[in-house]
Amino acid sequence: MRTVPRSGEDLFALAPVMPVVVLENAEDAVPVARALVAGGLPGIEVTLRTPAALDAIERIAEEVPEAVVGAGTVVTAEQADAAAKVGARFLVSPGCTPDLARAMTDTGLPSLPGVATVSEAMTLLESGLTALKFFPAEASGGARFLKSLGGPLPQVRFCPTGGITLQSAPDYLALPNVGCVGGSWLTPSDLVAGARWDDITALAREAAALRS
């Protein structure tokens, strides 16, 4: 069983890529998690975009102790609380309001609140948050934008997510203010639907090797 992460910085230390997983069926949660862990990616963000998401998080938390499962697409305080109650070990939001930031902090879980602008990052920095999600990464300026933030906001590190691929991920990971990247390419719906767990492990292994 892995050490429970206590901060966003701890999440960055897990692997260079954090899989961003959408699950339509909770029955797929455990085999997907095991496939990703086998490929070297223990940190797994299960997005709260489907009715199966909370059940999926609970199953992974209970049955795959070597995984560090978190809840993504957290947009309300109620979702943050519900995710914590089913065993999520971290929270990720696409954007962030002051109320949502407080709610995520109140769970006691590490979080990666989302930002897309300098002002948003500065607002969260004022609250003492230095580990953030940058979303949607490619649509919001990509690696060039994040590189430009290194000077004025050197204390902030990011997990850019949104439109990133295996090919573009190295451009982000080369930046000192990037802790990891979020990737949805690791669990494509056709592989999950076809129970092609070995193929998911192979994709995870490629991603895990991006920062050796």
Side-chain angles (χ1 to χ4, degrees), residues 155-190:
Q155 63 274 65
V156 182
R157 296 181 78 208
F158 298 90
C159 172
T161 305
I164 297 174
T165 66
L166 178 68
Q167 291 70 37
S168 62
D171 293 336
Y172 290 92
L173 293 170
L175 301 176
N177 61 344
V178 169
C180 68
V181 301
S184 59
W185 79 85
L186 297 150
T187 54
S189 58
D190 60 328

Side-chain angles (χ1 to χ4, degrees), residues 46-144:
V46 177
T47 67
L48 301 183
R49 300 180 188 178
T50 69
L54 288 174
D55 189 11
I57 291 169
E58 185 170 28
R59 292 187 187 207
I60 296 171
E62 291 179 351
E63 299 183 44
V64 194
E66 60 271 36
V68 178
V69 63
T73 321
V74 176
V75 297
T76 67
E78 292 77 16
Q79 287 180 323
D81 185 59
K85 286 179 177 176
V86 298
R89 294 209 241 167
F90 64 92
L91 305 172
V92 184
S93 66
C96 201
T97 66
D99 286 345
L100 181 57
R102 281 191 294 270
M104 292 196 293
T105 298
D106 286 347
T107 66
L109 297 174
S111 64
L112 296 174
V115 300
T117 70
V118 178
S119 294
E120 290 169 358
M122 290 174 63
T123 298
L124 291 174
L125 182 59
E126 287 180 350
S127 301
L129 297 170
T130 58
L132 308 176
K133 173 178 178 172
F134 176 55
F135 177 84
E138 286 290 282
S140 299
R144 289 182 63 190

